[in-house]
Amino acid sequence: VVLWYRCSSGAADGEAVGERGERGKAAQRLAELGQGTAADDRAERMLGEVRYESELAEAEALRKRGEWGKAEQRLADLVKGKAADDRAARMLGEVRYESGLAEAEALRKRGELEKAEQQLAQLVKDKTADDRAARMLGEIRYESGLADADALRKRGELGKAERRLADLVANRAPDE
């Protein structure tokens, strides 16, 4: 009876600490309960949940700092370990999308428009609900078209340059 009470009240303490956002303290309190007791399933389950929530919070912090690789690795590990909860999988998709957008923008700034276009085309193909990749892809294709037309002009191929520019103007979205 004493062991049951210790585990039961301790698990409740760990749960209350976890609900206040003190995940580290909650994990420590719940881990202590498993030592020397009759392996309280409730405490172990809650310990797993607290650790999972802590890992999600850390991945979100990494994401906000733009540490895409670290966030992606942390989330991929969580997805492998806890298939029943889709929050990590959903966040992993978001991190991969954000990372792809950041990489495409970096390629764009370096003038590597073809690589940026390939990166964005893949993001668009993955059919995310967000339209930033599609918009950026349109912008890059437009920039690339302008560069093509300028190269044609410099080579003296004025007719081709004019047609390329006319196509760009005709296909440009109204808000661009």
Side-chain angles (χ1 to χ4, degrees), residues 50-171:
V50 167
R51 286 180 176 158
Y52 180 78
E53 294 295 329
S54 180
E55 290 291 319
L56 277 178
E58 178 61 25
E60 180 62 22
L62 290 166
R63 175 185 178 181
K64 286 180 179 178
R65 291 193 304 264
E67 296 181 44
W68 308 114
K70 289 179 181 178
E72 185 173 346
Q73 184 58 53
R74 176 96 24 127
L75 290 165
D77 291 345
L78 283 176
V79 168
K80 287 181 206 170
K82 189 162 181 145
D85 187 327
D86 70 337
R87 290 177 297 164
R90 197 171 44 250
M91 190 184 294
L92 178 58
E94 293 168 2
V95 164
R96 287 180 174 159
Y97 182 76
E98 295 292 333
S99 175
L101 286 175
E103 184 178 337
E105 184 60 32
L107 289 166
R108 178 186 197 177
K109 287 179 179 178
R110 290 193 308 262
E112 299 179 49
L113 297 180
E114 189 174 316
K115 288 181 180 178
E117 186 174 340
Q118 291 170 353
Q119 175 78 20
L120 292 166
Q122 183 60 49
L123 291 175
V124 170
K125 181 181 169 190
D126 292 343
K127 298 187 190 311
T128 60
D130 187 324
D131 70 339
R132 289 178 294 165
R135 281 186 287 128
M136 189 184 294
L137 180 58
E139 293 168 4
I140 286 177
R141 286 182 173 160
Y142 187 80
E143 290 173 24
S144 182
L146 287 175
D148 289 347
D150 191 45
L152 289 167
R153 181 190 61 81
K154 287 178 181 176
R155 288 194 308 259
E157 299 178 49
L158 299 179
K160 288 182 181 179
E162 184 179 354
R163 284 191 296 280
R164 182 70 173 123
L165 290 169
D167 285 344
L168 288 173
V169 170
N171 293 315

